[in-house]
Amino acid sequence: MASVHPPVVSYPLPVSPRVFELSSEMLELSRQSPVLRTDLPDGTTGWLVTGFDLVRQVQLDPRFSRARLADPKREQRGLEFVTSRSLLGLDPPEHTRLRTLVAGAFTARRMRLLGPQVAAIVNDLIDQMLAGPRPADLVSAFSLPLPVRVICRMLGVPPSDQGRFHAWSQELVADWSQDPAAMEAALDALLAYLSGLIEVKRAEPADDLITALIAARDVEDRLSEDELVHMCVAVLLGGHETTASFISLSLITLLTHPEQLARLRAGPQLLPGAVEEFLRFVPLSTTLPPARMTTEEVILGDVTIPEGAMVFPMHVFANRDPSVFGDPDVFDVGRASDPTHMGFGVGAHHCLGAQLARIELREAFAGLLGRLPGLRLAVGADELRFKANMGVNSAKELPVTWD
């Protein structure tokens, strides 16, 4: 069968004026073809995969490699600057070896035990909001400190240091337009900080993830010192920046769909399914995700992808594939809670913290809707401002008020 020439989409990719919504132009293109082509800033061709089944194939097929992109001779751009240096930049079996070491911290049982601690943090943050002025900035008062406190507690990062690494992560969770030199400086600072914290934990072990990883390094010799430090970076960044942004984006989505907000307030039993709908519907990122590189020529659908090509699995558009989801552009908190969506990816790189993120989202929305009656935006949705040059859609602030 002859290869089809897919539509070409200009880079930077089209975006919606409302950052928390998907571009109608990109949605239309994704439905014309499950594979799109774009010319990247470095002059190479990128292949955007938008169809659900093909996005799944890219994540499961070993011919689409993460490790091939970690070549030190390549200039790393955007999120791949960090992912190529971490667990996310590896292929099996090396990926499997390291993932196994940290997976024990994210078992379903451990996450269930963590639930009451997350609920306590949620209530503490809401207590502070209730005692403070209105409108409140939900980003600084709630969305950011919640996952920061949770992941720092798991890792063993002192609360007094939480503000320091957040500033570094802001530089690292960036899109392709970010200055690589600024990202390098932030990563160097974060690595130095974590190396120092690891030495503290060696001298004073505790019941936390860093201490457990140190034991795997020092006692069992199951990972190198460099792997130990970069594992901590991956957990720290993955455990707070994306979740913080997603809490804010999900709340914006809910507050701009008043009929769905009313349904969820009237039927709190819908919350677990509503969380899955957030994960399907809300676009955490509308820029290029971490890429994979073909190890040989691959036919993807009707398109021939050459060897050595950069392929981007676009989860946000896979989650709107009408062949998989009925009325995919409708936000419905009562949608059947089948977690078929690509919110956490599939395969070897399925998000380690998926269950933790679900718990944080459930507890966050149970607290916000249960304790802040009449919660609503304090400004128009079109007045909300978002940070520039970020790899995730991150609100600068989110003014809210309540009755």
Side-chain angles (χ1 to χ4, degrees):
M1 181 172 58
S3 176
V4 170
H5 296 287
V8 178
V9 57
S10 299
Y11 183 88
L13 305 183
V15 295
S16 169
R18 307 178 84 176
V19 173
F20 52 91
E21 297 177 350
L22 285 178
S23 158
S24 58
E25 181 181 347
M26 280 298 300
L27 277 171
E28 183 178 350
L29 284 168
S30 73
R31 288 162 190 175
Q32 288 179 24
S33 172
V35 179
L36 304 170
R37 185 170 68 81
T38 190
D39 295 323
L40 300 172
D42 61 3
T44 61
T45 296
W47 303 87
L48 314 180
V49 185
T50 63
F52 187 93
D53 290 340
L54 295 187
V55 167
R56 182 179 177 82
Q57 179 184 337
V58 168
Q59 294 175 94
L60 296 176
D61 190 330
R63 295 176 297 174
F64 297 92
S65 167
R66 282 277 182 86
R68 282 281 293 268
L69 284 162
D71 185 337
K73 295 190 291 292
R74 284 187 66 254
E75 182 183 38
Q76 310 296 325
R77 301 294 296 266
L79 290 174
E80 71 176 20
F81 181 87
V82 177
T83 59
S84 66
R85 292 161 167 81
S86 73
L87 181 68
L88 296 175
L90 298 174
D91 295 331
E94 281 299 289
H95 174 271
T96 307
R97 174 179 65 86
L98 291 177
R99 183 182 172 104
T100 301
L101 293 177
V102 73
F106 294 94
T107 62
R109 178 179 175 276
R110 280 179 177 264
M111 293 302 99
R112 285 195 298 272
L113 294 174
L114 192 62
Q117 298 178 45
V118 175
I121 295 171
V122 165
N123 281 318
D124 179 54
L125 293 171
I126 293 177
D127 285 342
Q128 295 177 45
M129 289 177 64
L130 289 169
R134 298 187 215 173
D137 173 21
L138 197 88
V139 172
S140 60
F142 187 86
S143 303
L144 180 60
L146 171 59
V148 167
R149 287 194 195 180
V150 172
I151 203 64
C152 285
R153 182 173 294 182
M154 287 184 65
L155 273 170
V157 173
S160 59
D161 290 345
Q162 293 173 9
R164 298 172 65 193
F165 77 73
H166 177 63
W168 296 321
S169 73
Q170 287 284 288
E171 293 283 354
L172 294 171
V173 184
D175 67 11
W176 274 48
S177 64
Q178 179 65 291
D179 178 10
M183 299 183 75
E184 188 81 55
L187 182 59
D188 287 346
L190 182 54
L191 291 172
Y193 167 79
L194 286 170
S195 295
L197 183 59
I198 286 167
E199 290 309 309
V200 170
K201 296 290 182 180
R202 278 197 169 104
E204 303 173 16
D207 182 20
D208 55 46
L209 181 55
I210 290 181
T211 300
L213 290 173
I214 289 170
R217 159 69 178 147
D218 295 354
V219 179
E220 304 169 38
D221 195 26
R222 297 174 67 191
L223 74 167
S224 69
E225 189 73 12
D226 187 62
E227 288 171 338
L228 167 61
V229 178
H230 279 86
M231 181 76 79
C232 293
V233 170
V235 174
L236 199 57
L237 294 182
H240 90 276
E241 192 68 46
T242 54
T243 305
S245 295
F246 197 77
I247 290 171
S248 294
L249 292 167
S250 297
L251 183 63
I252 294 168
T253 299
L254 188 60
L255 296 181
T256 53
H257 290 80
E259 73 291 345
Q260 298 302 313
L261 173 62
R263 287 181 69 193
L264 195 52
R265 280 186 172 138
Q269 74 280 1
L270 295 173
L271 185 52
V275 166
E276 300 304 324
E277 180 69 344
F278 287 138
L279 291 164
R280 182 196 73 85
F281 184 85
V282 176
L284 177 61
S285 174
T286 46
T287 187
L288 294 174
R292 295 168 187 251
M293 183 173 283
T294 50
T295 61
E296 60 182 72
E297 183 178 277
V298 182
I299 297 176
L300 201 56
D302 296 329
V303 178
T304 300
I305 310 292
E307 179 184 354
M310 293 184 69
V311 178
F312 299 89
M314 308 294 287
H315 300 83
V316 291
F317 297 104
N319 281 336
R320 299 291 188 91
D321 188 334
S323 71
V324 176
F325 304 100
D327 295 322
D329 299 327
V330 173
F331 174 64
D332 179 4
V333 297
R335 188 182 293 270
S337 58
D338 175 8
T340 303
H341 58 74
M342 291 286 181
F344 294 116
V346 297
H349 288 281
H350 176 267
C351 178
L352 264 173
Q355 289 306 110
L356 175 60
R358 285 185 168 104
I359 290 168
E360 289 179 289
L361 287 164
R362 285 199 294 266
E363 294 297 342
F365 279 88
L368 291 171
L369 299 182
R371 297 192 58 198
L372 299 177
L375 180 65
R376 58 193 180 275
L377 293 175
V379 299
D382 293 331
E383 298 176 63
L384 295 172
R385 298 186 302 155
F386 291 80
K387 297 172 186 175
N389 305 329
M390 293 287 287
V392 297
N393 295 328
S394 184
K396 288 185 175 182
E397 62 271 317
L398 181 51
V400 295
T401 190
W402 55 91
D403 297 334

